[in-house]
Amino acid sequence: MYNEDLLKKLISDFGEVQAMLFCRMESAKNAYLFEECVKNGEDNSCTQYDFERDWWHEAYNKLSNSKNS
């Protein structure tokens, strides 16, 4: 399941507020993994974490902006 599909399912099952929390937590999790990966010198395998970190952070921003509109 791709991130976009997963996010839609989370919103459907838990609502936007809970999905926003998940987005923040998933982004943070991937930030932690990215930092650890870089620290351990595994630079070539770290890109998956920064992509996921940024994707979930952007998803949070979009949900947050739609809630505030």
Side-chain angles (χ1 to χ4, degrees), residues 3 5 8 18-20 28 30 33-34 37-40 53-54 56 58 60-61 63-64 66-67 69:
N3 288 352
D5 298 325
K8 288 177 184 174
Q18 295 299 321
M20 286 171 56
N30 282 287
L33 292 171
F34 177 76
C37 185
V38 170
K39 187 172 80 174
N40 290 333
R53 174 199 62 203
D54 296 345
W56 288 104
E58 184 60 29
Y60 169 79
N61 286 339
L63 284 174
S64 179
S66 73
K67 284 296 258 185
S69 297

Side-chain angles (χ1 to χ4, degrees), residues 3-66:
N3 288 352
E4 189 66 40
D5 298 325
L6 179 58
L7 181 57
K8 288 177 184 174
K9 182 76 172 144
L10 289 167
I11 292 169
S12 172
D13 289 351
F14 300 102
E16 283 189 9
V17 172
Q18 295 299 321
M20 286 171 56
L21 177 59
F22 177 86
C23 290
R24 287 185 64 201
M25 293 173 72
E26 186 66 12
S27 180
K29 178 195 85 171
N30 282 287
Y32 306 148
L33 292 171
F34 177 76
E35 291 167 8
E36 185 71 18
C37 185
V38 170
K39 187 172 80 174
N40 290 333
E42 304 168 23
D43 294 332
N44 59 346
S45 65
C46 299
T47 57
Q48 67 184 2
Y49 300 125
D50 67 339
F51 172 83
E52 292 292 324
R53 174 199 62 203
D54 296 345
W55 195 95
W56 288 104
H57 181 74
E58 184 60 29
Y60 169 79
N61 286 339
K62 287 179 183 175
L63 284 174
S64 179
N65 288 338
S66 73

